Amino acid sequence: MTETTRKTGVSRRTLLKSTAGLAGLAAGSGAITGFPYVMSAEPKVLRYLGTAVNEGDDISKQCLKDTGIKIEYITATTDDVTKRVMTQPNSFDVLDTEYFSLKKLVPSGNILALDSKKIKEFDNITPVFTKGETPGGKKIGGQGTAPWKVLYLEGKDSKTFSKTATEFVTLIPTVYNADTLGIRPDLINRPIGSWAELLNPEFKGKASILNIPSIGIMDAAMVVEATGKYKYADKGNMTKEEIDLTMKVMTEAKKAGQFRAFWKDFNESVNLMASGETVIQSMWSPAVTKVRSMGIACTFQPLKEGYRSWASGFCVSKGVSGAKLDWAYEFVNWFLSGYAGAYLNRQGYYSAVLSTAKANMQPYEWAYWMDGKPAEKDIKAPDGSLLEKAGAVRDGGSYEDRMGAVACWNAVMDENDYMVRKWNEFIAA
Amino acid sequence: MDTSEDVLQPLSPDLVRGSETARPAKAARLSPSFISWLQAGPMMLVFLAFFLIPLVFVVIVSFWDYNEYQLLPAFSGRGYTDTFEGCLAQLPDLCTIVRTYLKTLKFCFLVWAITLFIGFWVAYFLAFHIKSKTWQMGLSLLCTIPFWTSNVIRMIAWIPLLGRNGLVNSGLMKTGLIYQPVEWLLFSEFSVVLALVHLFTFFMVVPIFNSMVRIDKSLIEAAYDAGATGLQTLVNVIIPLAKPGIVIGSIFVITIVMGDFITIGVMGGQQIAAAGKIIETRVNALQFPAAAANAVILLVITFLIITMMSRIVDIKKEL
């Protein structure tokens, strides 16, 4: 039994046209971790690789209860997730990653597109993903790697994105959000309304930006556009000259001592803000919530230029087949069936299938999180702790207002390689 | 940090060869060379498998080509040329990459000098001022206490102390010495050097202490009898005899600091780049050949420094 699985594993791997050296190393490790499963008598286990956004104990427990599928989380940063898909495609079953990574992942041939016909709620997925507009009909900015540009493949094993809808979906959408700057209103004492404020000398030595090149450059571009210095054709796909210009503006600010520090993970951003080292910085919504739950004023500030958005979803490793693939579909279907969506909505993210999430939330919760209305009752986090007192309104307002104001999406540029080098120079400057 | 393992490796062949002379005379039946191979074998295998072979791979990969998502096993110098892209055009200004390496060297030198100074006197105190063996043991164990927690925690512990609203700043403000928080305490070159010294002084103390306790006390007495002053004894007797310890400690500290990017990243607020950081970002961008090329460059620089040090002191002879 192990023999056959091992064999299929190896032959499949030899088919992979990816890197000889690394694939060789990865195959070695994959062969060890990769085969002890598949038999039907064994428990249903899926190894789930992703960033921590979608990963929650409550979700995996509920999933086990509802479907009998045991989820084993493998948590990594966005960069590490991508690295792992490239070098160890057999070390996971279900992949939870962001749309902007697809430009790297799909050509590597290490992931398997899912069949939209087998996804029960596929037709109910929010038009944000399929049409690039909100349910209310607001057109969403499509700069960068917008999900609808990379949602479909031409064929099952195709490495080309399809412009029209096909059966083969690169990532089944799960969660997304519109990001903006976080500020400390108690230390700034005046309204902040533009991305340009990040480089305002008033906040010299008290500003921060995240040090993840592909996301950081988008924030930088939002700032450059906001200052009126330049207008990009596509912030998510700059030319070399545009990258140089963007990095020049940022480098000058850095040399003038604008930034206190750069952050790379959630907790770093929380600490910088909570300790008062920074008063304005790029931030993620749950990080703002975290600072606020520590009793420190922090606002996820809507800005007039709009939001920078991101989205993530599920696909599976190329190596997944047979019963395991069925479980993967079962899991994805379960994920979209409401419990997880409501859970994510309650954290300030948005779920891909709104109808099922709504059915799993209290009307007052829905009104607060999605409709932008003042909270009728106290708003609790999924773990039961108090997030907002009754009467509070969500930063940025309703789903329509926020998603409708998205200006661009996290992206991988054609000039990504050059951009990363320039970003490094900026960090080192 | 895993660099410490690499540090040990270059020393091991010397240790191994040293054992050749110390082989027991009894084992006459087996040929002496066979026995020495047997003794050296395990270490050699470990050295080969975990150091030399991976190193060869790194060098090979550094000459491969790459794109967004894969390595292309074709000979290419792109890893190196990309690294120094635009450096010639920028002359006489130094380009970022060169400045990054220079900054790494600067940290390396500062940390080396400070840890050597502190380490030397701590070891001196332990070796010559503490008479009882028990106290010597006890106190040197005391030095290891900081190592009971992880590197990262010891590093992060500085942040609430040095921050804008940290303990030091609020203390200074309360005493009226300053009216505004001192900003350069944290996320600056100062905090980087401070944390590195804090983390690595111990690596100086142990080898220097080790050489000092082996100094024959009668030599010092002889120097005293011959009328040498304290300073003369120190310069002419103790320092020369403690040299192997100093060099070994220096090698430890230099190799660790050259490869460190976590401390420099955390304490520098991710604003100060180090050679190790270049490698990390390259790896994160899936540019493995470029990362490997930088690793090779870093290795060569470190190797040169260590070669220079071992020119000054022949460790093989001294041990």
Side-chain angles (χ1 to χ4, degrees):
Chain A
M1 137 204 166
T2 46
E3 265 319 302
T4 51
T5 32
R6 194 201 292 242
K7 245 181 223 154
T8 55
V10 170
S11 63
R12 167 175 30 79
R13 241 175 264 122
T14 46
L15 281 176
L16 294 177
K17 285 180 198 136
S18 60
T19 70
L22 276 166
L25 285 175
S29 55
I32 297 161
T33 55
F35 64 82
Y37 52 78
V38 182
M39 286 293 103
S40 55
E42 285 179 61
K44 294 154 103 179
V45 177
L46 288 175
R47 292 167 304 163
Y48 173 130
L49 173 64
T51 55
V53 175
N54 281 339
E55 299 180 349
D57 267 353
D58 294 331
I59 291 181
S60 64
K61 274 184 201 144
Q62 189 69 29
C63 176
L64 184 64
K65 213 161 90 185
D66 293 351
T67 63
I69 295 172
K70 190 168 181 297
I71 298 294
E72 283 176 2
Y73 287 130
I74 308 166
T75 308
T77 63
T78 310
D79 280 344
D80 285 338
V81 167
T82 310
K83 229 186 301 173
R84 196 147 170 163
V85 175
M86 302 294 174
T87 56
Q88 295 168 267
N90 299 303
S91 67
F92 64 93
D93 304 314
V94 173
L95 175 66
D96 166 8
T97 192
E98 286 182 51
Y99 280 84
F100 77 84
S101 304
L102 284 172
K103 276 195 179 174
K104 291 182 176 186
L105 298 182
V106 167
S108 79
N110 287 351
I111 58 166
L112 188 70
L114 291 177
D115 185 347
S116 64
K117 283 187 189 149
K118 292 189 187 165
I119 306 295
K120 281 189 205 118
E121 298 286 346
F122 193 78
D123 294 334
N124 290 329
I125 281 172
T126 170
V128 166
F129 285 93
T130 47
K131 293 183 193 145
E133 57 188 48
T134 64
K138 276 191 196 163
K139 204 79 193 136
I140 298 175
Q143 291 191 7
T145 310
W148 56 90
K149 292 187 197 164
V150 292
L151 190 61
Y152 302 106
L153 287 184
E154 285 181 346
K156 193 172 186 316
D157 291 314
S158 171
K159 290 182 181 175
T160 328
F161 297 111
S162 166
K163 290 197 173 63
T164 53
T166 67
E167 211 179 305
F168 305 103
V169 180
T170 49
L171 284 178
I172 301 291
T174 52
V175 66
Y176 49 103
N177 206 348
D179 283 351
T180 180
L181 297 176
I183 64 162
R184 282 281 299 266
D186 56 329
L187 297 178
I188 289 184
N189 290 323
R190 68 174 177 85
I192 296 290
S194 166
W195 281 85
E197 298 279 9
L198 189 71
L199 294 189
N200 189 337
E202 186 186 333
F203 307 124
K204 188 180 164 194
K206 293 178 178 176
S208 174
I209 193 169
L210 77 176
N211 183 12
I212 301 173
S214 51
I215 305 176
I217 189 116
M218 300 299 283
D219 284 350
M222 291 295 278
V223 171
V224 170
E225 254 187 18
T227 57
K229 281 202 180 81
Y230 185 77
K231 188 142 178 59
Y232 300 88
D234 183 348
K235 286 187 276 296
N237 203 1
M238 300 182 190
T239 61
K240 281 191 175 178
E241 290 73 35
E242 284 172 332
I243 294 169
D244 287 342
L245 171 102
T246 315
M247 291 333 314
K248 190 168 161 264
V249 173
M250 298 306 279
T251 308
E252 276 165 14
K254 189 189 169 204
K255 285 195 169 147
Q258 181 70 10
F259 301 109
R260 180 63 170 156
F262 298 110
W263 60 267
K264 202 152 191 183
D265 74 39
F266 182 91
N267 288 319
E268 278 176 341
S269 77
V270 170
N271 291 341
L272 282 174
M273 212 60 170
S275 64
E277 297 294 336
T278 61
V279 298
I280 183 166
Q281 66 178 26
S282 33
M283 233 172 153
W284 293 334
S285 164
V288 172
T289 312
K290 178 91 185 277
V291 174
R292 220 149 40 190
S293 71
M294 294 159 87
I296 295 161
C298 191
T299 307
F300 200 49
Q301 185 63 52
L303 303 167
K304 65 171 187 264
E305 294 86 8
Y307 297 85
R308 172 187 52 74
S309 197
W310 58 268
S312 64
F314 285 135
C315 64
V316 294
S317 165
K318 203 82 169 181
V320 174
S321 60
K324 194 128 195 158
L325 187 58
D326 294 339
W327 305 339
Y329 276 110
E330 194 181 346
F331 168 68
V332 174
N333 276 320
W334 173 84
F335 200 95
L336 296 179
S337 71
Y339 175 87
Y343 185 90
L344 293 167
N345 274 6
R346 284 192 198 105
Q347 288 186 311
Y349 297 117
Y350 294 122
S351 110
V353 181
L354 299 174
S355 51
T356 56
K358 189 172 185 177
N360 278 270
M361 290 170 86
Q362 300 292 328
Y364 79 90
E365 287 182 310
W366 184 264
Y368 171 80
W369 287 112
M370 302 300 284
D371 294 339
K373 300 214 172 95
E376 280 171 39
K377 299 182 198 171
D378 287 353
I379 297 296
K380 300 228 164 78
D383 64 1
S385 64
L386 181 73
L387 271 187
E388 293 290 350
K389 294 220 172 79
V393 183
R394 180 178 182 166
D395 295 335
S398 70
Y399 179 76
E400 283 287 325
D401 287 346
R402 276 173 57 135
M403 287 314 292
V406 164
C408 62
W409 296 78
N410 283 355
V412 168
M413 307 184 178
D414 294 339
E415 293 290 350
N416 184 55
D417 179 43
Y418 183 75
M419 188 275 286
V420 171
R421 267 182 281 148
K422 289 290 143 185
W423 183 268
N424 281 344
E425 286 184 16
F426 159 62
I427 294 296
Chain B
M1 288 170 208
D2 49 12
T3 43
S4 56
E5 276 166 30
D6 303 342
V7 175
L8 289 169
Q9 304 297 358
L11 291 176
S12 35
D14 302 326
L15 295 170
V16 166
R17 248 172 275 147
S19 67
E20 220 174 304
T21 50
R23 69 174 178 270
K26 267 190 204 169
R29 271 186 224 165
L30 296 167
S31 83
S33 75
F34 178 76
I35 289 180
S36 32
W37 276 109
L38 210 63
Q39 286 173 322
M43 191 60 222
M44 246 176 60
L45 285 179
V46 169
F47 188 58
L48 200 72
F50 295 104
F51 184 67
L52 278 183
I53 293 175
L55 193 64
V56 169
F57 274 127
V58 169
V59 175
I60 292 173
V61 169
S62 77
F63 285 104
W64 280 7
D65 200 1
Y66 58 96
N67 64 20
E68 276 297 279
Y69 49 87
Q70 62 183 11
L71 302 175
L72 308 169
F75 182 83
S76 158
R78 208 182 135 205
Y80 294 90
T81 49
D82 273 6
T83 302
F84 293 104
E85 190 192 35
C87 281
L88 281 176
Q90 250 182 306
L91 286 172
D93 286 338
L94 292 174
C95 55
T96 315
I97 197 94
V98 173
R99 272 187 286 128
T100 306
Y101 276 105
L102 287 178
K103 182 151 278 178
T104 311
L105 284 173
K106 177 181 156 193
F107 282 135
C108 202
F109 177 77
L110 281 173
V111 174
W112 171 75
I114 299 170
T115 52
L116 177 59
F117 182 80
I118 301 174
F120 184 85
W121 291 115
V122 171
Y124 185 89
F125 177 78
L126 286 177
F128 297 116
H129 285 263
I130 309 294
K131 300 287 179 229
S132 113
K133 276 269 178 294
T134 332
W135 274 104
Q136 268 184 357
M137 284 297 285
L139 287 176
S140 46
L141 278 179
L142 207 65
C143 291
T144 67
I145 288 182
F147 285 76
W148 295 359
T149 55
S150 95
N151 247 356
V152 178
I153 290 172
R154 276 179 290 150
M155 203 150 70
I156 289 171
W158 284 107
I159 293 175
L161 205 67
L162 301 176
R164 185 174 283 140
N165 305 311
L167 221 58
V168 173
N169 266 325
S170 49
L172 287 174
M173 300 250 275
K174 277 210 185 98
T175 57
L177 283 171
I178 51 167
Y179 300 100
Q180 280 220 318
V182 182
E183 305 256 322
W184 54 260
L185 280 178
L186 187 61
F187 302 141
S188 60
E189 291 188 11
F190 167 79
S191 58
V192 170
V193 174
L194 182 73
L196 287 171
V197 167
H198 167 222
L199 291 174
F200 303 134
T201 301
F202 184 67
F203 290 106
M204 278 291 192
V205 174
V206 172
I208 299 178
F209 172 69
N210 212 0
S211 326
M212 278 181 179
V213 285
R214 291 194 301 175
I215 295 176
D216 194 339
K217 296 282 186 300
S218 52
L219 285 175
I220 296 167
E221 277 166 32
Y224 181 76
D225 289 345
T229 63
L231 185 70
Q232 280 170 328
T233 315
L234 183 73
V235 173
N236 296 321
V237 180
I238 295 175
I239 291 183
L241 288 171
K243 253 188 194 168
I246 292 173
V247 172
I248 292 171
S250 304
I251 291 173
F252 274 132
V253 170
I254 287 168
T255 39
I256 296 174
V257 177
M258 285 299 283
D260 183 280
F261 60 92
I262 297 173
T263 317
I264 296 178
V266 171
M267 299 307 290
Q270 308 288 357
Q271 300 214 49
I272 299 172
K277 186 78 199 170
I278 304 175
I279 299 173
E280 195 214 7
T281 30
R282 289 295 191 160
V283 169
N284 281 343
L286 292 167
Q287 301 166 349
F288 291 101
N294 277 290
V296 172
I297 296 169
L298 184 63
L299 191 78
V300 169
I301 297 174
T302 314
F303 188 74
L304 284 177
I305 299 176
I306 291 178
T307 317
M308 276 180 344
M309 303 217 79
S310 37
R311 278 283 160 81
I312 301 169
V313 179
D314 186 354
I315 307 179
K316 229 188 320 183
K317 200 188 84 199
E318 302 276 358
L319 277 172

